Amino acid sequence: GFTSDSRVDEITSKRAAQGSPYVTSSYDDGAVFIRGFVSQSVSGNSIELGLFTANGFSADYTDGGQTGTDNYNINGIDAIFNIEVLTNVDIRFGGHYTFIDGDDNLVIGSGSHDIKSTNIDGTGIVVGTNYNFGSIRTGISYYGGVGGNSDAYMTVLTAGFSF
């Protein structure tokens, strides 16, 4: 999955407000996305209830030549409706509840900075499409409002096996 990183922007802004206006940041916007779900089909359409995790996000912050790293994950649940629009092609829409779970403190050099407030949770939308090859399904989904933050999102590419 890929995500915009409003968490990184928020931490950089907080550090600037605390007297470090020259903090720079860089982040890895790719992560491993794992989702398990149960599905109930009705007339070619279905509803899914899922649990997911996106692991492996990290951001590096530099201030005065010293660097610190923040590691975090995104976890959540979703409910998604799949509507078959063509043979083997579904559109999907629904909602999610996610929480961003990361480090409580950012250590840069000898200073420790409280970033606990960037561990947020909330709801958002899910939209996307699937293509089914028998028991194999591929798709792309947009998770908007990750952690309840309208600026945070994930675009997730998936491939899975139905059994």
Side-chain angles (χ1 to χ4, degrees):
F2 305 95
T3 184
S4 75
D5 219 310
S6 60
R7 177 182 173 98
V8 174
D9 296 339
E10 184 176 342
I11 291 170
T12 303
S13 295
K14 282 184 176 191
R15 292 294 301 125
Q18 293 169 349
S20 295
Y22 304 110
V23 172
T24 59
S25 60
S26 63
Y27 58 91
D28 174 9
D29 61 358
V32 175
F33 183 85
I34 299 171
R35 179 176 180 263
F37 64 93
V38 294
S39 178
Q40 177 64 48
S41 295
V42 179
S43 302
N45 303 319
S46 64
I47 184 170
E48 299 175 1
L49 298 175
L51 296 169
F52 62 87
T53 185
N55 294 306
F57 292 106
S58 68
D60 293 323
Y61 301 87
T62 304
D63 186 6
Q66 297 181 338
T67 301
T69 300
D70 172 33
N71 297 301
Y72 55 100
N73 303 312
I74 298 172
N75 302 294
I77 59 174
D78 57 26
I80 299 173
F81 298 96
N82 295 299
I83 298 174
E84 188 174 50
V85 292
L86 297 171
T87 301
N88 296 323
V89 177
D90 302 332
I91 59 169
R92 41 196 291 119
F93 63 92
H96 67 82
Y97 171 80
T98 50
F99 59 97
I100 300 172
D101 181 29
D103 297 335
D104 288 341
N105 291 298
L106 172 62
V107 177
I108 300 178
S110 61
S112 179
H113 311 283
D114 182 4
I115 59 171
K116 201 175 345 186
S117 65
T118 60
N119 293 330
I120 58 174
D121 64 327
T123 61
I125 64 164
V126 179
V127 294
T129 188
N130 291 324
Y131 184 77
N132 302 299
F133 303 91
S135 61
I136 296 176
R137 179 170 81 174
T138 61
I140 184 169
S141 297
Y142 170 86
Y143 284 72
V146 172
N149 181 335
S150 62
D151 292 332
Y153 63 89
M154 293 190 301
T155 303
V156 180
L157 304 173
T158 58
F161 182 74
S162 299
F163 55 91

